[in-house]
Amino acid sequence: MENNLYDFGMIGLGVMGSNFLLNMADNNYKVIGFDLDAAKTKKLEDEATKGTTVKGVTTLQEMVLQLDKPRRIMMLVPAGKPVDDVINNLLPLVEKDDVIIDGGNSHYTDTLRRVKQLDEKGIHFMGMGVSGGEEGARRGPSIMPGGDISAWKRVKPMLEAVSAKVNGEPCVAYMGKDAAGHYVKMVHNGIEYAIMQLISEVYDLMKNLLDQSNNDLAKIFKEWNKEELESFLIEITSEIFLKDDDITGNRLVDDISDKAGSKGTGKWTSQDAMELPVSIPTIDAAVAMRTLSGYKDERKLASEIYQHEIKKIKHKQDHEIKKVKDALYFAMIIAYAQGLAMLNKASAELSMDISLADVVKIWRGGCIIRSSLLEVFYKALKKDKQLANILLSKNVAKLLSKNEKYIRSVINLAVKNKIPVTGLMSALGYFDTYCTERMPTNLIQAQRDFFGAHTYERIDKEGKFHTEWHEEVVQADKKHAETENPQS
Ligand code: 6PG
């Protein structure tokens, strides 16, 4: 070392934190990590690549004192109180101009509060989404930093070095002001929920209706991953079907409980979409279905009451499976479209200046929702930066139009045979509604005005209008009766 100081410090040496740090060390940065647990600091040092500079310490002070100034410190700790605790412990130790990065899945409103809190002390706080799981952190994640632009410039070379690369381009970019980094990560996770829900639905359909074995499913997903559906989630799905369970000897997937867990980021996406407001029904459906998966006892009872049996289809399976692939492709596009439309709206509402082209560019590699579709969206958004919804791109429209009949057909098949496809249906419902110039919501407006005098707007003149509906309906009825029966 030229001096005895380290370039970058990490707080929290769980797998994500230590992998991120080891990745940084592999890129020739001198790194130091802090964790109260001495076993973790030792593990960090043991796992370091030979010739790299990696140190683990068990007090925060030791770490801060050994960092080059202005310091660059990142934390990867659970969201919520632990982040505030770390900040409070750091505050007496850090100085003006130091950069503190929260790389966890914090709620963006917490990040907003922390940016302000630290800004008052002259410390730069950045909320930064990191996606890619443990392997991504070690080999190259997708990184979504936001907040103070001057702080971003100071960490940019390091983050570019550790991030995933696509066509030589790093999967990291400045996402925007304030809490933009965490906002983008939240929506990333919302899309992640939606795609996982859609994949689980087509799995259900192919396994329980089209009678595909785990080996068949592994093959199908492997093939799909070579074509337009190429993506991380499709790839890992094909591998999942082949894993044996050490305990029972069955395929592990069959021995896993169907109650889905969640850490909350999908729910946050739905909650915030309602606040904005923006419509993301496929993400909402994914959150709702995870919730319903927890109601196991009630579902068991209901399945007995309603005799919810599924009769397998033994013919024309290949033909149907091809359609299932195209339906999934269609729905996946819609899931991305909803998430990106949400980012577009949120960026304007919260003045975050998020560039959607940059978002899809850095999602092309490293992250959980990486897929070849993102290249299509990147091209569309580079061409038209103002695109409110990627469904309005001509190239995306071509893809959807080509596959539209298949999603209709697959939903038909599922509905007829009692396979729940709430995600697929929500995607098609969103598409059909988005493509409808005149929705039937005029009737809702009339009802609102009828029972609550909420007023309505007219199609032929400006302003708000209210009608005394009941009186007018009575009069109209009377008039109608008179014309029908003039003698009475
Ligand atoms: C990622 C993931 C990750 C997420 C987990 C768990 O991008 O690497 O999104 O950040 O926290 O996948 O999410 P749930 O527990 O909510 O499913």
Side-chain angles (χ1 to χ4, degrees):
M1 279 202 282
E2 289 151 22
N3 57 32
N4 288 329
L5 298 173
Y6 291 85
D7 301 314
F8 196 84
M10 175 70 75
I11 298 168
L13 298 179
V15 191
M16 285 295 286
S18 57
N19 278 1
F20 195 94
L21 211 51
L22 293 172
N23 181 354
M24 202 160 254
D26 285 351
N27 283 284
N28 300 320
Y29 290 103
K30 296 173 281 181
V31 300
I32 182 164
F34 155 73
D35 201 292
L36 283 174
D37 184 349
K40 284 190 183 154
T41 58
K42 182 174 179 313
K43 191 163 175 273
L44 173 79
E45 290 182 0
D46 290 348
E47 285 179 355
T49 311
K50 235 176 141 202
T52 59
T53 310
V54 178
K55 184 168 180 181
V57 291
T58 51
T59 71
L60 202 51
Q61 195 167 17
E62 264 181 286
M63 188 191 87
V64 175
L65 286 175
Q66 295 183 70
L67 280 166
D68 202 8
K69 290 185 200 173
R71 301 175 181 91
R72 287 166 286 207
I73 302 170
M74 175 168 163
M75 68 183 96
L76 264 167
V77 298
K81 191 173 173 297
V83 176
D84 288 316
D85 291 345
V86 167
I87 292 172
N88 291 334
N89 293 337
L90 267 178
L91 275 178
L93 303 172
V94 290
E95 291 163 81
K96 197 168 169 291
D97 272 348
D98 286 350
V99 176
I100 300 177
I101 303 169
D102 171 15
N105 277 336
S106 290
H107 195 279
Y108 81 94
T109 52
D110 285 337
T111 305
L112 277 177
R113 167 176 59 77
R114 292 167 186 147
V115 166
K116 259 197 210 135
Q117 178 199 351
L118 290 166
D119 191 46
E120 282 161 13
K121 298 181 175 12
I123 292 157
H124 309 289
F125 186 77
M126 298 183 76
M128 186 169 93
V130 179
S131 177
E134 298 169 6
E135 188 60 20
R138 186 70 183 86
R139 310 266 162 234
S142 173
I143 311 177
M144 297 153 245
D148 193 330
I149 188 109
S150 62
W152 154 243
K153 284 182 185 149
R154 293 232 332 267
V155 289
K156 184 173 180 243
M158 300 176 126
L159 297 179
E160 283 183 346
V162 296
S163 72
K165 313 282 178 303
V166 171
N167 308 331
E169 293 179 293
C171 293
V172 57
Y174 177 68
M175 294 286 94
K177 288 193 260 180
D178 301 329
H182 276 148
Y183 203 97
V184 170
K185 180 61 181 16
M186 176 182 79
V187 174
H188 165 284
N189 281 27
I191 298 171
E192 175 184 302
Y193 273 53
I195 295 175
M196 289 166 80
Q197 172 64 25
L198 295 167
I199 293 176
S200 77
E201 290 175 9
V202 300
Y203 155 60
D204 191 10
L205 200 89
M206 291 191 292
K207 179 184 164 76
N208 294 318
L209 187 64
L210 301 176
D211 201 23
Q212 300 300 297
S213 68
N214 285 315
N215 283 347
D216 297 334
L217 289 163
K219 232 192 261 164
I220 291 167
F221 277 89
K222 198 170 174 192
E223 283 309 306
W224 287 2
N225 195 45
K226 291 181 192 154
E227 299 167 26
E228 64 270 33
L229 275 175
E230 185 199 351
S231 57
F232 173 73
L233 285 168
I234 295 287
E235 182 191 330
I236 63 163
T237 305
S238 81
E239 287 181 30
I240 284 170
F241 293 119
L242 297 178
K243 183 80 181 165
D244 289 327
D245 180 7
D246 296 339
I247 304 167
T248 60
N250 300 333
R251 288 291 156 87
L252 179 55
V253 68
D254 293 328
D255 286 341
I256 295 180
S257 154
D258 60 352
K259 289 186 192 171
S262 75
K263 297 212 182 73
T265 43
K267 181 181 79 181
W268 294 348
T269 313
S270 283
Q271 285 173 329
D272 211 63
M274 304 260 172
E275 285 301 325
L276 279 168
V278 65
S279 182
I280 55 161
T282 309
I283 296 172
D284 299 338
V287 176
M289 292 307 107
R290 281 203 198 185
T291 304
L292 197 50
S293 80
Y295 286 69
K296 179 81 177 171
D297 295 341
E298 287 180 37
R299 286 190 288 110
K300 189 169 180 298
L301 272 179
S303 78
E304 283 156 14
I305 296 170
Y306 295 98
Q307 304 267 312
H308 221 73
E309 267 173 41
I310 285 138
K311 287 196 193 77
K312 292 195 195 281
I313 296 177
K314 305 265 182 193
H315 58 278
K316 281 201 194 159
Q317 289 159 333
D318 290 350
H319 178 69
E320 295 299 347
I321 289 166
K322 160 88 183 69
K323 288 194 213 162
V324 172
K325 181 189 83 178
D326 296 333
L328 177 61
Y329 187 59
F330 182 103
M332 263 170 70
I333 295 176
I334 300 288
Y336 284 111
Q338 291 175 12
L340 291 170
M342 175 167 179
L343 279 180
N344 186 51
K345 174 85 173 167
S347 176
E349 288 294 315
L350 302 169
S351 309
M352 291 187 287
D353 286 339
I354 296 172
S355 150
L356 291 191
D358 283 346
V359 171
V360 294
K361 180 180 166 194
I362 66 158
W363 282 353
R364 290 177 307 164
C367 68
I368 304 295
I369 63 167
R370 63 184 184 258
S371 77
S372 54
L373 264 172
L374 286 156
E375 194 65 51
V376 178
F377 304 151
Y378 182 41
K379 283 194 184 118
L381 286 160
K382 253 197 319 193
K383 210 162 129 199
D384 182 359
K385 293 193 169 61
Q386 306 305 320
L387 208 57
N389 190 314
I390 52 159
L391 297 192
L392 301 174
S393 142
K394 282 204 179 91
N395 284 337
V396 174
K398 269 188 219 152
L399 297 177
L400 287 173
S401 305
K402 199 172 130 219
N403 293 299
E404 187 187 330
K405 57 178 175 295
Y406 301 116
I407 192 166
R408 293 192 194 283
S409 158
V410 168
I411 288 175
N412 255 324
L413 181 76
V415 168
K416 250 197 307 198
N417 291 284
K418 303 185 179 180
I419 300 281
V421 285
T422 318
L424 288 174
M425 292 199 294
S426 75
L428 184 61
Y430 176 83
F431 173 76
D432 284 338
T433 309
Y434 196 69
C435 298
T436 298
E437 191 185 339
R438 183 162 167 83
M439 286 169 62
T441 23
N442 51 326
L443 181 60
I444 292 176
Q445 285 298 79
Q447 289 164 332
R448 290 176 68 242
D449 192 55
F450 191 118
F451 62 65
H454 294 299
T455 75
Y456 54 86
E457 287 174 22
R458 296 182 55 91
I459 55 173
D460 52 356
K461 42 184 165 177
E462 293 284 309
K464 300 261 183 218
F465 296 88
H466 168 62
T467 298
E468 288 303 321
W469 290 91
H470 194 60
E471 212 172 81
E472 305 223 339
V473 170
V474 171
Q475 293 303 331
D477 265 358
K478 229 165 133 190
K479 225 170 163 185
H480 185 66
E482 277 168 13
T483 30
E484 292 265 291
N485 192 1
Q487 270 83 24
S488 67

